[in-house]
Amino acid sequence: MKLSFQSRKPTAVEADVLVTFIHQSEPERSRDQEGLVNLFGEGAIPPLSIRDFAGKENETALVYVSEGRRHRRLLLAGLGEQRQPSPERYRRSAAVAAKKAKSLKAASMLFILPLLKKAAEDVIMALGEGALLGLYRFDKYVSKQKEEEKRLSEIIFASEDKKIAAAAKAALHRAQIIAEAVILARDLANAPGNEIYPETLAEVAVQSGKKAGYKVNVLNEKEIEKLGMGGIMGVSQGSTRPPRFLILEYGRPSKKTVVLVGKGVTFDTGGISIKPSANMSEMKMDMSGGAAVIGALEAVSRLKLPVHVIGLIPAVENMPSGNSIRPGDILRHYNGKTSEVDNTDAEGRLILADALGYAERYKPAAVIDLATLTGACVVALGHHATGMMGNDAGLMKRLKDAGEATYERVWELPLFDEYERLIKSDVADVKNVGGRWAGAITAGWFLRKFIGNYKWIHLDIAGTAILEENGEYNQKGGSGVGVRLLTEFLRHWK
Ligand code: BES
Ligand code: MN
Ligand code: ZN
């Protein structure tokens, strides 16, 4: 799907469906409809009853505009009541409109840009992103696809305004790259465990690096063992699939290096502490943190941002077998510290411990890890906020701002000292579970035991990466969360 821009009067553009965005307004003609009259001429658009279309959030109506003898389809897309809708409102409306145009079997669609006075770039970016993400489906394994479902291939934006043209070109370039990176992350998450396992996850990263222009180094099990990464070796030993440790690098070393760490459990059965079978299939998405890191590196690299970013992804499959780790086993991690495995289903933290230790090599200015780490975080925040923990308020503020801008919102959970003793072990340096309460926080504390001397943020994306319902531009399944958040964060990183 391609986003394109044409510097001309929207009515001069050929497209199967024209789309215009309209505020909810009084029964009499709103300013927006006046705009349409200017565009199409008096009497070209039939008067529409407020009962048929009021411009409510996500409401749509199809009308026909007459241009001489020709009639064209014009889709009205509601924006809701706000006079100055947020980018998120545009993102959602664009998604709804794009899905509607697809259902109308359109091959091309034109977005008539609203009369924007400020933040034109953010609004256009949101429109492009919303349309591309709204149209996403994970359907490559569905043999018989309806022909028309594949037709829509171009979304055209048009305006005669020179200022809008400049903003639009920049915004659509960014939207295209970022949406494609989100889609890569969604495809990886949604791919089943028999397709994506540590070796194939590594292969996808290598291909992405080649395409986008960043380096990928893949360590195999021998190299992982030699480095003393006992968490990765331990968790993966129950699986016939060998582990991999992915090292991604974009840009030149600097004093402001950012390391991104992503949990890459390609399937999480729980191991010997096996999970119940209901919904276990969702655990094919337990590598969503890793997918977000690959997506972010691809986006940052294609956007050529002036930053130095390292991506670290410990990739394993967590399986029960005669070779699995047992409850009670003790592992030694990369930084020399030991952990008691009280529950083999708390595996994410065991592999992240090695990666967080390894991150110290880069003397990073910031380390951010992303992981579908705990069901407890889903209990606390549901699917609308990522749990954030960390050791630096300033860094967390920056990430929170990126979360507001992208609507991939993060919410801080406290790492108070009092929680630390919940993961005290009698036999090792730390225990991998903390009991019934504050499960997201005790997981965060476990990770904290393994960080180096750097500013660090842990993002628990268990609720936001794996969705149970369709939204406007999100579908049930993998959301690709983190890609837009991290790219926005890195765009402002100095
Ligand atoms: N991958 C799961 C966490 C998870 C659960 C993510 C539901 C998304 C949806 C993780 O490895 C896990 O199993 N965590 C355990 C930890 C517990 C054993 C301390 C959990 O949350 O139950
Ligand atoms: Mn688990
Ligand atoms: Zn897991």
Side-chain angles (χ1 to χ4, degrees):
M1 191 80 50
K2 239 187 106 268
L3 303 175
S4 64
F5 182 79
Q6 297 188 12
S7 308
R8 57 213 274 206
K9 200 171 169 186
T11 47
V13 175
E14 281 307 318
D16 291 345
V17 177
L18 318 182
V19 181
T20 185
F21 297 92
I22 292 185
H23 296 102
Q24 187 168 351
S25 55
E26 305 304 306
E28 66 267 18
R29 266 191 197 155
S30 71
R31 279 220 321 273
D32 310 274
Q33 278 153 328
E34 286 295 353
L36 290 180
V37 170
N38 286 340
L39 207 56
F40 293 101
E42 195 70 51
I45 300 173
L48 200 62
S49 161
I50 186 91
R51 289 207 296 273
D52 294 329
F53 181 80
K56 289 193 195 117
E57 291 187 4
N58 302 340
E59 191 185 12
T60 59
L62 185 69
V63 299
Y64 285 82
V65 288
S66 34
E67 282 176 347
R69 306 223 310 277
R70 189 160 88 131
H71 301 282
R72 305 180 79 187
R73 292 188 289 188
L74 174 66
L75 185 66
L76 311 179
L79 286 170
E81 272 175 339
Q82 285 170 318
R83 265 282 124 211
Q84 284 182 344
S86 61
E88 175 66 5
R89 272 272 77 256
Y90 283 103
R91 202 177 281 119
R92 292 184 190 180
S93 280
V96 171
K99 287 188 278 188
K100 186 79 194 168
K102 184 171 169 176
S103 77
L104 293 168
K105 303 181 176 56
S108 60
M109 162 168 93
L110 165 73
F111 278 1
I112 298 171
L113 288 176
L115 304 162
L116 301 165
K117 272 172 233 81
K118 51 180 197 183
E121 201 174 315
D122 290 346
V123 169
I124 297 166
M125 157 92 185
L127 288 171
E129 221 173 49
L132 294 178
L133 296 180
L135 292 168
Y136 172 82
R137 292 290 173 280
F138 182 70
D139 55 10
K140 72 172 187 175
Y141 288 105
V142 181
S143 313
K144 262 216 182 107
Q145 281 173 48
K146 293 189 211 124
E147 212 27 60
E148 68 267 19
E149 298 252 297
K150 292 186 288 187
R151 270 191 75 195
L152 186 58
S153 65
E154 197 180 9
I155 305 172
I156 307 158
F157 292 69
S159 169
E160 279 185 303
D161 188 311
K162 286 224 170 57
K163 266 199 214 125
I164 298 245
K169 281 176 196 157
L172 296 177
H173 173 72
R174 190 146 56 92
Q176 183 89 44
I177 287 172
I178 292 175
E180 284 174 11
V182 174
I183 286 169
L184 170 65
R186 286 182 181 181
D187 277 343
L188 281 170
N190 290 328
N194 60 344
E195 180 189 333
I196 290 296
Y197 42 92
E199 291 156 284
T200 51
L201 184 68
E203 196 43 46
V204 172
V206 167
Q207 292 309 326
S208 164
K210 275 193 187 143
K211 178 181 111 182
Y214 63 89
K215 283 186 271 177
V216 179
N217 184 15
V218 179
L219 306 187
N220 65 24
E221 63 269 38
K222 287 205 188 88
E223 296 163 305
I224 295 168
E225 174 151 49
K226 219 169 151 207
L227 281 169
M229 295 179 154
I232 299 175
M233 290 311 292
V235 175
S236 72
Q237 75 188 39
S239 172
T240 54
R241 307 282 196 197
R244 291 291 181 264
F245 188 73
L246 284 51
I247 304 170
L248 288 53
E249 178 167 17
Y250 165 74
R252 304 234 139 269
S254 84
K255 287 206 171 74
K256 300 289 281 179
T257 298
V258 176
V259 177
L260 306 175
V261 178
K263 172 177 172 181
V265 176
T266 60
F267 196 86
D268 180 15
T269 63
I272 294 300
S273 315
I274 197 162
K275 289 179 180 295
S277 47
N279 300 322
M280 199 206 272
S281 63
E282 284 186 0
M283 289 299 112
K284 68 179 187 176
M285 294 181 264
D286 210 20
M287 29 53 68
S288 295
V293 170
I294 296 173
L297 264 105
E298 177 165 311
V300 163
S301 173
R302 290 183 67 196
L303 290 168
K304 302 190 166 57
L305 297 186
V307 289
H308 181 228
V309 188
I310 302 288
L312 300 178
I313 305 169
V316 300
E317 182 177 62
N318 188 21
M319 296 290 263
S321 83
N323 297 321
S324 298
I325 44 168
R326 299 145 282 254
D329 281 5
I330 297 174
L331 305 175
R332 187 177 294 281
H333 295 273
Y334 177 82
N335 69 353
K337 284 191 189 168
T338 57
S339 68
E340 176 192 358
V341 181
D342 200 30
N343 186 321
T344 64
D345 197 11
E347 84 297 341
R349 63 199 75 182
L350 298 174
I351 65 170
L352 291 168
D354 291 330
L356 288 168
Y358 192 83
E360 176 76 347
R361 291 186 167 213
Y362 299 94
K363 301 265 166 283
V367 175
I368 303 173
D369 76 69
L370 299 92
T372 46
L373 206 61
T374 67
C377 191
V378 193
V379 172
L381 299 173
H383 295 281
H384 302 292
T386 290
M388 172 170 69
M389 287 146 261
N391 61 4
D392 188 83
L395 190 63
M396 287 194 278
K397 170 75 169 66
R398 285 179 175 222
L399 206 68
K400 195 158 193 291
D401 291 345
E404 300 298 328
T406 54
Y407 220 70
E408 292 195 339
R409 294 170 297 176
V410 300
W411 200 258
E412 190 184 351
L413 301 175
L415 284 184
F416 296 145
D417 290 345
E418 286 78 359
Y419 294 107
E420 186 182 358
R421 64 177 180 79
L422 298 176
I423 51 168
K424 226 180 105 35
S425 167
D426 295 331
V427 294
D429 296 332
V430 62
K431 190 171 65 175
N432 82 330
V433 292
R436 186 162 157 73
W437 311 119
I441 293 171
T442 49
W445 251 113
F446 181 96
L447 299 180
R448 191 177 195 168
K449 295 279 193 183
F450 294 90
I451 65 173
N453 180 27
Y454 49 65
K455 293 177 181 174
W456 158 78
I457 286 178
H458 160 55
L459 297 175
D460 193 330
I461 57 172
T464 47
I466 302 174
L467 303 179
E468 285 165 358
E469 283 171 28
N470 290 330
E472 288 87 356
Y473 59 86
N474 273 315
Q475 287 76 37
K476 183 175 184 292
S479 68
V481 74
V483 175
R484 294 193 299 117
L485 175 72
L486 293 172
T487 308
E488 177 68 13
F489 169 84
L490 289 166
R491 222 159 61 81
H492 300 285
W493 181 250
K494 276 194 276 295

